[in-house]
Amino acid sequence: ELEIAIKVVIVGNGGVGKSSMIQRYCKGIYTRDYKKTIGVDFLERMIDIDGEDVRVMLWDTAGQEEFDAITKAYYRGAQACVLTFSTTDRCSFEAVKDWKKKVENECGEIPTVLVQNKIDLMDQAMVTFEESEALAKSLGVRLFRTSVKEDLNVAGVFRYLATNCHEM
Ligand code: GDP
Ligand code: MG
């Protein structure tokens, strides 16, 4: 039996919760600072899509976002993309378009979702739900609102992408 594997890149400004999302999804854990305790670059999780095993492979960027130093190797062969911003960080929201362009330059058009993380912090929101929806619409991608902290909707993001890749 052929194994299906998809490589997913998770992009967005530093601090939006990318490392946390990978740890949450693949290991089921959440802490305030993974970088200091776990130096992982790559994690994966097996999921079932329509009765078939799919290996979801996730790379972490090790926090070089702010230096624009993420190498082409990070993007190479990526089949799906998670564009991430934080509910509490306006700059991260405004940077989403640039992240999308960057991924498109390296990977072409691949299945992509927009993730608004940290929805547990809505009381400190710097972005409204309407703005997130408008951005998703203008980019032509589906919006997921997640809380990695509370484990809300995280698995749904990767299930959606794996299903989309599977159908291509
Ligand atoms: P990265 O730079 O994008 O990899 O972001 P990190 O995963 O390092 O997360 C940055 C900070 O945001 C950490 O302190 C995380 O614990 C925190 N964080 C991540 N996701 C959430 C979330 O859904 N809610 C809250 N309240 N904090 C989060
Ligand atoms: Mg990180």
Side-chain angles (χ1 to χ4, degrees):
E1 194 184 297
L2 255 170
E3 189 193 85
I4 302 156
I6 62 162
K7 174 177 173 175
V8 183
V9 287
I10 303 179
V11 298
N13 283 9
V16 298
K18 301 181 299 297
S19 299
S20 303
M21 191 179 304
I22 294 168
Q23 296 291 323
R24 166 62 86 193
Y25 184 63
C26 297
K27 290 188 168 174
I29 56 169
Y30 177 81
T31 62
R32 262 165 184 264
D33 197 350
Y34 295 116
K35 273 169 271 175
K36 282 176 186 154
T37 51
I38 306 162
V40 182
D41 302 311
F42 167 80
L43 284 174
E44 61 185 16
R45 175 171 164 178
M46 295 297 298
I47 57 171
D48 181 292
I49 301 287
D50 300 330
E52 295 194 68
D53 288 335
V54 177
R55 184 183 301 273
V56 178
M57 302 182 294
L58 304 175
W59 270 261
D60 198 355
T61 58
Q64 302 123 325
E65 303 92 342
E66 56 269 40
F67 306 110
D68 203 27
I70 300 171
T71 57
K72 286 188 191 296
Y74 177 72
Y75 294 102
R76 193 175 298 135
Q79 290 144 293
C81 170
V82 180
L83 299 167
T84 314
F85 70 95
S86 162
T87 298
T88 60
D89 178 355
R90 183 88 200 166
C91 282
S92 73
F93 174 73
E94 281 160 4
V96 165
K97 282 197 172 96
D98 291 336
W99 283 109
K100 184 161 191 285
K101 270 183 220 142
K102 198 167 177 176
V103 173
E104 262 170 26
N105 285 342
E106 300 294 339
C107 310
E109 292 226 13
I110 53 176
T112 297
V113 296
L114 178 63
V115 167
Q116 176 176 7
N117 188 36
K118 307 197 188 184
I119 56 161
D120 56 288
L121 299 176
M122 274 314 292
D123 57 326
Q124 298 164 45
M126 303 301 279
V127 181
T128 67
F129 275 176
E130 290 73 22
E131 288 175 311
S132 309
E133 264 153 23
L135 178 60
K137 206 170 180 184
S138 79
L139 298 175
V141 300
R142 181 160 161 191
L143 171 67
F144 284 83
R145 295 185 177 110
T146 66
S147 168
V148 169
K149 186 180 179 188
E150 310 288 346
D151 202 9
L152 288 173
N153 294 338
V154 177
V157 169
F158 298 102
R159 173 157 293 278
Y160 175 85
L161 287 173
T163 303
N164 266 33
C165 288
H166 195 43
E167 282 165 1
M168 278 176 74

